[in-house]
Structures are given as structure tokens and as C-alpha cells.
Amino acid sequence: MKDLLDLYLAFFKIGMVNFGGGYAMLPLLEEELVKKKHWTSMDELMDYFAIGQCTPGVIALNVSTFIGHKKKGTAGAIASTIGFLSAPIVIILLIASFLTNFADLPIVKNAFAGIRVCVCILIIQAILRLWKKAVVDKMALALYLVIFFLAAFSKQLPISLPAAGLVIMAGIFGIFFRREQNGTGESESKAGTGGSENKPDQGGSKTDEGESKADKGGNKPYEGNKKLSESETEKRGTEREDAGK
Amino acid sequence: MNMSILRLMLDFFKTGLFAVGGGLATLPFLYEMSDTHGWFSHADVADMIAISESTPGAIGINMSTYAGFKTGGIAGGILASLSLAAPSLIIILFIASFLDKFKGNKYVERAFYGLRPASIAMISAAGINVAKTSLVNVPALQEGNFAAFFSWKAILLAILLFFAQKKVKLHPVFFLAFAALIGVIFRFAE
């Protein structure tokens, strides 16, 4: 029970100061949950954000649910999600009842013009800290650049690609590309992510089960893999076009 | 009143289920709701975008609270927000338990090899969007007024904050509060 209250309060605090949307939450999560409480790692946060982007619902809530689940299962997920919701609900109820012209007040406008500058810097610093862990080689860098360009300038491009589609394609690309260079790539990824969580070693029996299942389902693509990898770049292009339609 | 709250909960549940990609993805659903039920006007949605930019919390949550409040008071506001959050909560619980089961699976690891740079790319794009509304003045450039393109006050504050954060180890909230204060003193919105 105390754990659930801890989760609720931690996310209540974050919800109260989370200005500027889902990704602006990252620096706050880092400070509260990674540095202070050690409930999660930056690697995991990054994974949660990627999944939160391509599943339905508000990204910040999705990330809250993930962390709550990791800490305390279903009850934890509910506690952290409601914790994150609480402050915004109260604030909007107050504004809706008393301050109908809230957003037009000069002091509010000025304060938030200042806050946006700070949010911008917080995001940049979070990116700098995450960079080494995510962009582990040249291929990952290329992936980053392509997706960044498509996401940041989506309004200027003739076809707009949904952000969720971009993230899903990156995941699919990862599955195919990693298979192509099995030996070196695999050890690199372990070095990259193994620092904070010993993922590969945990729960050996479960892992074996998972692999055998995945192999049963994925026999065909595994056989045809070498052919696929040759036309990898072409395929990537057509996939992206399909998603655009 | 009970029926309309039920209707409201159902509609926000639907929005939570189908709006993929964060707060702004809920907007088309909100406009549709406004057209079919008239719980709030299009102008209300525009106001709520402004309010969401000046309060913590995601726009989807804020809008559901606001619409729920208008339809069914405080209880309506709370119920509508919870309805919006419910579908993603259920979906994420499924995914989280799936990931627990397949932790270390090479296909999952490979997928994350691609997902991680994508995640940072999305964060960078979000950063660029905030920068566009805070550090530069895009409309001025379109009018050909290059001198007014950079918001110098804001850029100075950004540089100051960037180095201050490296030197001083404080909770991000202190920097946010400091930036708000500077914004008010030097009238950043003008």
C-alpha cells in the first residue's frame, strides 16, 4: 500500500509541473525516478517513450502506466496513471469554474513564454544524455536523422507521415537490420544496453520459451533473410511510401 | 444528466482508444465531438489549446476535464478524464506484461535497436517545435523581417539556462520557476 502511495505521489508531483507535453516530461522523470528513487533507468524510459508514441492515448500517461507496472504491477500502473492525472484535472476544474480568461492574462502569457525557453533547454540536455545509448552506430545515426527530419518538418513536406508510423517502421527496420549482421551487432547492443539492467541474463527459462515461440512463428522470414537484406534499402523506401498513403 | 455523462464517457473512451501519437492527435476527435454533441464549441477547443500550453498536463486530458465539467459538473470532469485514460492504460498493461515475458528475446532487442534512435528523434522534433514558439519568431520571417526573427531575450535566457544547468545541480522545477519569473519581469510574450 505504501508503495502505491509512493507511486501516486511521485506522479502527482510530475503531473503538477509537466509543462509542454509528453516529451517535456523526460527531464522530470529523470530527476525524480532515475536519479532520486532509482525506479527505472534512462534506457527503459527511452523504450517507454518509443512505445508510448505508437500506442493510442496520451504519451505522458502511457509512460506513467509503464513505470507503475514495472514497479508494482497492475495496481501500480493504475496508481501512477491516476497520480499523473490528478493535478491537471484539479487545475482545469479550477480554471473552468473561476478563471475563464486565464490564458489571456498578460502575466500568464509572459510566464509561459519564459517557461517554454526552459522546457526547450531541458529537452536538449535530455537528448544529449540519451544520445550515446540510443545512437550506437552509423546505421542508428542514419535512422535518427531520417526520422528527425520527417517528424520535425512534417508540415513542410508534401506527404505527412504520422509519428506513430515512423516509430513502428524504425522498430521493423531494427528487426531486419539486426539480423543482417548477427555477430558484431548483437554484442554491440549488449554493451550498449547492458549497463544499467542485466537484460540478457535475467530469467533464463523465460527467455528460452520466448525465443522458441518467436522462431516457430517467424520461420519463413528467417530463411529468406539473406535475400531480404540485399534489397533492404529499397524495401525501406517502399514501406515508407505505403505508410504515407 | 446521467445519460449525457455516460455518452460523454463513451466518446472520450473512443478518443483515448483511437488517438495515436499524443495530445494533438486528439484534436480531430474533439472537433467531431463538438459538431455532433455540442458539448463545447470549436472556439472552446482553441481556448483549451491555449490553456493547455499554459498549464501542466496534456491537451487531451484537459479537454476531457473541461467538457466533462460543462456537462456534468466536477464528477463529470473527473469521469470524462478517466474514460480518456482507460483504453491506453489497458493496452499498455498488455504490452508491459508482453515485454516482461520476452525480455532478452533477440527479436525484441532488435526492434529496440531501431526504436531507440526513433524515440530520440521524436524528442528532438518536439524540442524543435518548442524552440519554434519560444526562441524564434516564424511569422516575422514570413513577412521578410529578418531582424525580428530571433527573440534575443529568449535566446539569451536559453544560453544562460543551458550553462547554469551544467554548473548547478538543482531540480528542473527551480529552473522552470526561474524562467517563468524572468519571463514576467522582461515581458517575454511581447
Side-chain angles (χ1 to χ4, degrees):
Chain A
M1 197 63 212
K2 195 187 161 291
D3 286 349
L4 292 181
L5 191 69
D6 273 356
L7 271 170
Y8 177 86
L9 287 176
F11 278 93
F12 181 84
K13 257 166 84 178
I14 293 167
M16 202 160 57
V17 290
N18 176 43
F19 301 103
Y23 288 110
M25 179 193 196
L26 181 61
L28 300 168
L29 290 173
E30 185 187 2
E31 179 70 29
E32 285 288 325
L33 305 188
V34 179
K35 283 187 192 159
K36 272 195 196 162
K37 298 195 193 288
H38 307 289
W39 285 354
T40 183
S41 66
M42 284 303 265
D43 291 0
E44 282 182 323
L45 283 184
M46 208 162 25
D47 298 349
Y48 296 159
F49 271 102
I51 297 169
Q53 174 77 56
C54 51
T55 50
V58 178
I59 296 170
L61 280 180
N62 294 347
V63 175
S64 310
T65 310
F66 256 122
I67 298 169
H69 176 268
K70 192 208 163 195
K71 190 87 178 75
K72 208 77 188 126
T74 306
I78 294 170
S80 54
T81 307
I82 293 181
F84 185 80
L85 278 172
S86 298
I89 289 181
V90 172
I91 290 167
I92 293 298
L93 287 178
L94 285 174
I95 288 177
S97 343
F98 302 113
L99 289 165
T100 40
N101 61 342
F102 176 80
D104 298 322
L105 299 172
I107 185 166
V108 173
K109 277 188 168 177
N110 284 323
F112 280 92
I115 284 178
R116 274 197 292 274
V117 174
C118 188
V119 168
C120 196
I121 294 302
L122 289 174
I123 292 179
I124 290 172
Q125 280 169 338
I127 294 168
L128 291 177
R129 281 191 295 267
L130 283 172
W131 186 265
K132 259 191 225 160
K133 289 174 181 172
V135 185
V136 289
D137 53 25
K138 277 181 188 159
M139 207 63 220
L141 178 67
L143 208 54
Y144 168 84
L145 289 174
V146 169
I147 291 180
F148 170 68
F149 181 78
L150 291 174
F153 302 102
S154 62
K155 278 177 194 155
Q156 283 79 18
L157 293 171
I159 41 159
S160 79
L161 299 161
L166 291 174
V167 175
I168 290 171
M169 273 189 288
I172 293 170
F173 179 76
I175 292 172
F176 281 106
F177 173 75
R178 270 323 211 192
R179 187 171 291 162
E180 192 185 345
Q181 36 164 260
N182 241 339
T184 53
E186 208 72 351
S187 58
E188 249 178 61
S189 91
K190 273 179 193 172
T193 57
S196 55
E197 293 279 326
N198 43 350
K199 276 178 195 167
D201 301 348
Q202 264 175 5
S205 60
K206 272 186 190 170
T207 310
D208 290 341
E209 242 179 71
E211 296 216 348
S212 65
K213 267 183 204 163
D215 278 340
K216 271 176 210 163
N219 249 339
K220 277 180 201 165
Y222 200 78
E223 304 243 315
N225 156 46
K226 277 165 194 167
K227 285 171 202 164
L228 270 175
S229 63
E230 279 170 24
S231 58
E232 188 59 72
T233 42
E234 277 174 43
K235 205 174 158 278
R236 210 173 118 213
T238 49
E239 264 175 19
R240 196 163 289 144
E241 273 172 30
D242 289 347
K245 287 165 197 167
Chain B
M1 188 189 103
N2 278 336
M3 273 314 282
S4 57
I5 288 192
L6 212 63
R7 184 75 244 180
L8 191 83
M9 286 175 68
L10 207 68
D11 268 49
F12 275 105
F13 188 87
K14 213 173 74 186
T15 305
L17 187 61
F18 293 114
V20 182
L24 291 178
T26 56
L27 284 181
F29 292 90
L30 297 177
Y31 284 123
E32 194 201 314
M33 238 184 269
S34 161
D35 289 336
T36 46
H37 299 298
W39 290 321
F40 44 86
S41 65
H42 283 213
D44 282 338
V45 179
D47 283 350
M48 193 46 69
I49 297 173
I51 289 177
S52 298
E53 278 169 3
S54 11
T55 56
I59 176 155
I61 303 167
N62 292 351
M63 201 66 227
S64 57
T65 312
Y66 183 76
F69 176 76
K70 282 210 148 183
T71 321
I74 291 175
I78 294 169
L79 286 174
S81 309
L82 292 180
S83 309
L84 181 83
S88 58
L89 181 78
I90 296 163
I91 291 167
I92 294 291
L93 280 177
F94 271 111
I95 294 177
S97 52
F98 171 85
L99 282 182
D100 279 355
K101 216 173 171 183
F102 289 89
K103 215 170 193 179
N105 174 292
K106 61 183 170 184
Y107 296 93
V108 174
E109 287 295 311
R110 283 170 185 171
F112 276 116
Y113 165 82
L115 287 177
R116 283 180 195 132
S119 183
I120 302 210
M122 288 295 162
I123 299 170
S124 309
I128 289 285
N129 279 330
V130 184
K132 260 197 250 173
T133 57
S134 61
L135 301 182
V136 294
N137 184 0
V138 179
L141 192 67
Q142 280 154 356
E143 288 163 18
N145 185 356
F146 293 104
F149 176 60
F150 294 104
S151 311
W152 292 111
K153 286 189 285 193
I155 291 171
L156 269 178
L157 176 65
I159 294 168
L160 179 73
L161 285 170
F162 185 84
F163 289 106
Q165 279 235 301
K166 291 198 158 179
K167 289 264 175 216
V168 197
K169 293 288 165 221
L170 280 175
H171 196 286
V173 170
F174 290 103
F175 293 104
L176 287 167
F178 174 74
L181 189 69
I182 295 291
V184 171
I185 294 172
F186 294 98
R187 295 167 192 265
F188 267 40
E190 282 164 19

